[in-house]
Structure formats: structure tokens, C-alpha cells
Amino acid sequence: MKPISQVQQYQSLLLQGTWFAHISPSLQQWLLEYGKVLRFGAGQQIFAYGDTAQGIYAVLDGCVSISRYRDDGKEALLTLIDPAHWFGEITLFDKQQRTHRASSIADSVLLYVDGMDLMQLLAKHPQYWQDFGL
């Protein structure tokens, strides 16, 4: 019997999120296979405004804030992301730098899927573009 990977143990949690639950089982499996578990301490930056795109993330434990600096230099909180939700996908489409800042509010565990791996998948299976668009 093949052992369950560190990522696959989170499959039932991820299925609680609307997006992951509604994509095809083959795409779910691919994300679990290529995903890496990352840990961030409270207050640690995940990515910054202006960073080059590097992939997508799902919150497995903890909480992530998404914010942006306003014209007056103050930081505006846009949303908080809880477990089973994904973020960072906009750069898959626009290939631009990050437009927001993502930080861990509490000690957090994230699933990270590399952008280069995603682009290779989408080149082979363009039907998945619609899933990411949703």
C-alpha cells in the first residue's frame, strides 16, 4: 500500500472549499501531487506588492490577509482567507506582478503550487483554464 503524502492528507479539508470541490477529480489529484506544504509564522509575508508571480496557494491552517497600499501610503485590508480557500491565481491570467500583499495573520500552513508547473499543465490540458477562471 502506497503511503499518503503530506499533501494528500489535506484533500478532505480542501474539498470543503467550493472551488476545489467543483473541479474535476483529475485536476484535484494533480494539484495534490504537485503541491508543496509551506509553513509561515504569524506576520510573515507570503508575497509582496510588485513581486513576480510564482504560483497559487490554498490555506490549510491559519489565516492569510490580502492587502494593498493606498495612494496615501496606508495599508488597506481587502480580505482574510481561511482554510480551504485558494488565492494568487490572477497572475496565471495576466502574467503581471502581484497587485496585492499576502501575509500570514497567525501561524499558517499553505499548499503552494508552482506557476511553471501550472503553465505546463495548462499547455497540455487547456480545458483546465476555465476551472482556474472560476
Side-chain angles (χ1 to χ4, degrees):
M1 177 180 229
K2 186 176 178 182
I4 295 175
S5 75
Q6 184 181 15
V7 174
Q8 288 176 325
Q9 70 182 342
Y10 292 106
Q11 183 172 8
S12 61
L13 169 72
L14 290 170
L15 285 168
Q16 294 174 28
T18 304
W19 179 76
F20 192 80
H22 288 93
I23 61 176
S24 70
S26 60
L27 180 53
Q28 289 174 2
Q29 192 58 43
W30 186 93
L31 290 166
L32 292 171
E33 182 178 330
Y34 282 83
K36 296 170 184 68
V37 175
L38 303 177
R39 298 179 189 286
F40 292 87
Q44 191 173 357
Q45 184 170 275
I46 298 162
F47 57 76
Y49 175 82
D51 280 356
T52 56
Q54 69 272 63
I56 62 172
Y57 300 83
V59 179
L60 302 174
D61 189 31
C63 185
V64 171
S65 70
I66 303 295
S67 61
R68 181 175 178 130
Y69 289 101
R70 303 183 320 196
D71 290 339
D72 64 6
K74 294 182 181 178
E75 188 173 15
L77 176 65
L78 301 175
T79 192
L80 296 175
I81 302 175
D82 294 321
H85 293 94
W86 293 77
F87 65 98
E89 74 285 347
I90 299 300
T91 57
L92 281 177
F93 296 95
D94 67 13
K95 306 284 190 276
Q96 301 296 310
Q97 296 174 327
R98 296 286 185 183
T99 58
H100 299 87
R101 178 177 185 251
S103 299
S104 181
I105 295 293
D107 289 347
S108 298
V109 180
L110 305 180
L111 177 66
Y112 166 72
V113 183
D114 182 76
M116 294 301 289
D117 290 337
L118 285 166
M119 295 313 295
Q120 289 175 3
L121 168 75
L122 291 166
K124 291 179 186 173
H125 303 280
Q127 71 273 17
Y128 291 148
W129 273 111
Q130 184 174 2
D131 292 311
F132 287 103
L134 296 173

